[in-house]
Amino acid sequence: MMQFTETYCPSPLHKIPPLPNLPVSKNQMYRARPWPGFPTPKSLGNFGDANCMEQLLVHCANAIESNDATLAQQILWVLNNIAPPDGDSNQRLTCGFLRALIARAAKSGNCKLFTAMANVHANDLSMNNHKFSIIELASFVDLTPWHRFGFTAANAAVALEGYSVVHIVDLSLTHCMQIPTLIDSIATRLEGPPLVKLTVAGAMEDFPPMLDLSYEELGSKLVNFARSRNVVMEFRVIPSSSSNGFSSLIEQLRMQQLIRVENGEALVINCHMMLHYIPEETLSSGVPNTSSPIESTSLRTMFLKALRGLDPTIVVLVDEDADFTSNNLVNRLRSAYNYLWIPYDTVDTFLPRGSKQRQWYEADLCWKIENVISHEGPQRVERLEPKSKWVQRMRNASFRGVAFSEEAITEVKNMLDEHAAGWGLKKEDEDLVLTWKGHNVVFATAWIPA
């Protein structure tokens, strides 16, 4: 983390360096919201364009990284006045990055004004700590296809025929919210429902969205729901952490492998937006005596190879199609800004301003932005990788991709019909990709041992 060389932050008197090739909107003028120590100009001019705001964020990130506290402070002041938290989608997106940059700048502790600003914005982000009830979370994840897309595609892939026992290992960001719809689909099998064994990694980290009850209580509710559908379910939670590649979960599954093979169980590994929390190559796994430091210290590579060693029947991998892994702050900022405009854009289509759900939704996004921008090292856990990288990882781990059935594609399309017109679906080889206005959002892939 950078250390500012200044011990105080004087009000900047010089102008921001010119921003080249920025589109100008004649109609966008903003009333300045003063910060302590700054004069209030009559107008900030035409800084409201999304491209301009991105450029300002880049200039600010560069100023922070080069320890130019005065310039960073000046640009943050401009951003504060053109990106209100209650503005349009681009302004709210920029406000999230503004807060993240303030938090990054404040970490040095050398500038009292940055620290004060960070404290003010920290109060605004209190919604990050909200713990959902089951009903709230189920409603929350159903708001958009962001999660439902993966649920629908995965359920079609894992509703296996011909097995009397199906063991599902659920690595999910949404606390098993996919399982009730999976139970419904399994319950209608012509040969009768199988015995369902559900194993959940009780993650030790608190990533939003958070749940207000324990996994034991959640498991009891799921078992009762399955019983109401005439499906017998066994539930087990294994405390495990993404920070070490879910090592305790893998070990428990390995110990049961012989019994599973003898009983002819199907082993389904469902990975829903959780694997990107496993550290990638930029972090050391502490493996000694390695000849190839990059490959051998990648916990993601080690995790996938361990999965392959379990000989699963099928692995479904669903995640967001973006790249947040760069060690360069500006590159990471650009990548995140040009991906996270999508959820801010979509929220205007289904949630009114001021609603609690909208506050929760955007607090979740702000948590992600702050983690990507203001944290480094093990604290930076939002390390998304694009579909192409995960596909290569799976192939390197000796998995082979399988195509989703036409029935699965039809189900996804029917689900998308329930949402705003901007959502779309496209096929890329064997994979399915959710799109918003033509831009890739979330991918779903299915794999079997090669």
Side-chain angles (χ1 to χ4, degrees):
M1 180 55 61
M2 76 296 176
Q3 294 291 323
F4 285 118
T5 56
E6 299 181 72
T7 57
Y8 68 101
C9 294
S11 299
L13 301 177
H14 59 286
K15 294 182 179 180
I16 296 176
L19 304 175
N21 302 321
L22 296 179
V24 174
S25 171
K26 295 181 179 179
N27 299 320
Q28 289 182 306
M29 304 288 285
Y30 298 91
R31 180 177 298 174
R33 296 176 293 135
W35 281 359
F38 289 98
T40 303
K42 294 181 180 179
S43 172
L44 286 171
N46 301 307
F47 283 112
D49 183 272
N51 292 331
C52 175
M53 289 190 284
E54 180 185 358
Q55 290 280 23
L56 284 169
L57 289 168
V58 167
H59 279 295
C60 186
N62 279 322
I64 291 173
E65 293 302 275
S66 61
N67 298 336
D68 190 340
T70 300
L71 179 58
Q73 182 182 341
Q74 182 181 14
I75 301 175
L76 287 171
W77 171 72
V78 174
L79 286 167
N80 183 68
N81 283 284
I82 65 174
D86 56 352
D88 62 29
S89 59
N90 286 325
Q91 290 171 321
R92 301 195 310 277
L93 168 69
T94 301
C95 182
F97 280 86
L98 161 70
R99 291 167 168 173
L101 287 171
I102 290 172
R104 186 180 181 95
K107 288 181 186 295
S108 68
N110 291 335
C111 180
K112 292 182 179 179
L113 181 57
F114 286 145
T115 303
M117 290 188 297
N119 290 337
V120 170
H121 285 303
N123 295 331
D124 295 337
L125 296 177
S126 59
M127 296 295 289
N128 283 351
N129 300 321
H130 177 74
K131 290 191 174 183
F132 290 85
S133 69
I134 286 184
I135 299 300
E136 286 176 343
L137 185 56
S139 175
F140 181 75
V141 299
D142 281 346
L143 288 173
T144 76
W146 206 280
H147 291 289
R148 290 190 70 196
F149 163 76
F151 291 175
T152 306
N155 286 351
V158 305
L160 302 170
E161 305 286 342
Y163 288 92
S164 59
V165 181
V166 176
H167 184 183
I168 301 170
V169 178
D170 191 52
L171 295 173
S172 170
L173 184 67
T174 56
H175 310 290
C176 301
M177 289 299 102
Q178 175 180 348
I179 301 303
T181 54
L182 178 60
I183 291 172
D184 279 336
S185 64
I186 288 177
T188 59
R189 288 198 341 184
L190 293 177
E191 70 267 31
L195 166 64
V196 177
K197 296 181 178 180
L198 178 61
T199 297
V200 175
M204 301 173 186
E205 305 93 345
D206 285 330
F207 303 140
M210 294 182 286
L211 201 58
D212 71 349
L213 76 168
S214 69
Y215 268 103
E216 287 74 14
E217 293 171 304
L218 175 63
S220 177
K221 293 181 181 296
L222 288 172
V223 168
N224 290 335
F225 176 80
R227 186 182 297 119
S228 72
R229 300 296 191 270
N230 296 316
V231 175
V232 178
M233 171 183 279
E234 299 174 1
F235 180 90
R236 183 177 56 155
V237 57
I238 299 176
S240 200
S241 172
S242 59
S243 63
N244 61 10
F246 299 105
S247 58
S248 57
L249 172 68
I250 291 293
E251 183 59 29
Q252 287 290 325
L253 295 174
R254 187 178 290 116
M255 292 170 61
Q256 300 171 25
Q257 188 173 5
L258 180 60
I259 298 175
R260 177 179 66 82
V261 172
E262 290 177 347
N263 293 341
E265 296 179 12
L267 177 61
V268 175
I269 311 293
N270 181 50
C271 305
H272 185 90
M273 299 191 187
M274 181 63 79
L275 295 196
H276 71 260
Y277 289 115
I278 298 175
E280 37 81 47
E281 283 84 352
T282 59
L283 293 180
S284 172
S285 64
V287 179
N289 302 320
T290 56
S291 58
S292 176
I294 292 182
E295 191 66 17
S296 60
T297 59
S298 168
L299 283 177
R300 295 184 184 184
T301 297
M302 295 167 64
F303 172 79
L304 294 179
K305 288 184 176 179
L307 277 191
R308 178 61 182 85
L310 297 173
D311 196 28
T313 310
I314 190 169
V315 176
V316 180
L317 172 56
V318 177
D319 217 319
E320 295 162 309
D321 198 4
D323 188 352
F324 293 174
T325 59
S326 175
N327 284 327
N328 180 277
L329 173 62
V330 169
N331 290 344
R332 208 160 66 234
L333 186 151
R334 286 190 182 278
S335 180
Y337 193 87
N338 285 284
Y339 176 72
L340 293 175
W341 70 270
I342 296 173
Y344 277 96
D345 193 44
T346 65
V347 75
D348 291 336
T349 67
F350 64 91
L351 286 176
R353 293 191 180 193
S355 71
K356 283 292 184 183
Q357 285 185 319
R358 180 156 170 171
Q359 292 177 43
W360 294 334
Y361 187 85
E362 297 197 352
D364 182 59
L365 294 173
C366 285
W367 182 91
K368 185 188 293 281
I369 292 169
E370 181 166 346
N371 189 266
V372 171
I373 299 302
S374 70
H375 293 280
E376 295 293 349
Q379 288 72 41
R380 180 161 63 84
V381 297
E382 280 289 344
R383 295 171 179 262
L384 292 173
E385 289 185 313
K387 180 174 77 75
S388 58
K389 186 63 178 292
W390 282 111
V391 166
Q392 191 58 52
R393 285 188 183 279
M394 294 298 288
R395 289 173 178 167
N396 290 345
S398 298
F399 285 99
R400 176 171 63 85
V402 292
F404 289 90
S405 67
E406 288 301 319
E407 180 182 358
I409 295 172
T410 299
E411 289 184 22
V412 172
K413 288 180 178 178
N414 290 339
M415 180 273 296
L416 292 181
D417 287 341
E418 302 174 16
H419 295 278
W423 295 104
L425 173 69
K426 68 179 180 181
K427 290 186 64 177
E428 293 183 353
D429 299 322
E430 294 95 355
D431 313 323
L432 300 182
V433 180
L434 174 70
T435 64
W436 172 254
K437 297 180 179 178
H439 298 270
N440 286 15
V441 180
V442 177
F443 65 86
T445 61
W447 304 87
I448 59 176

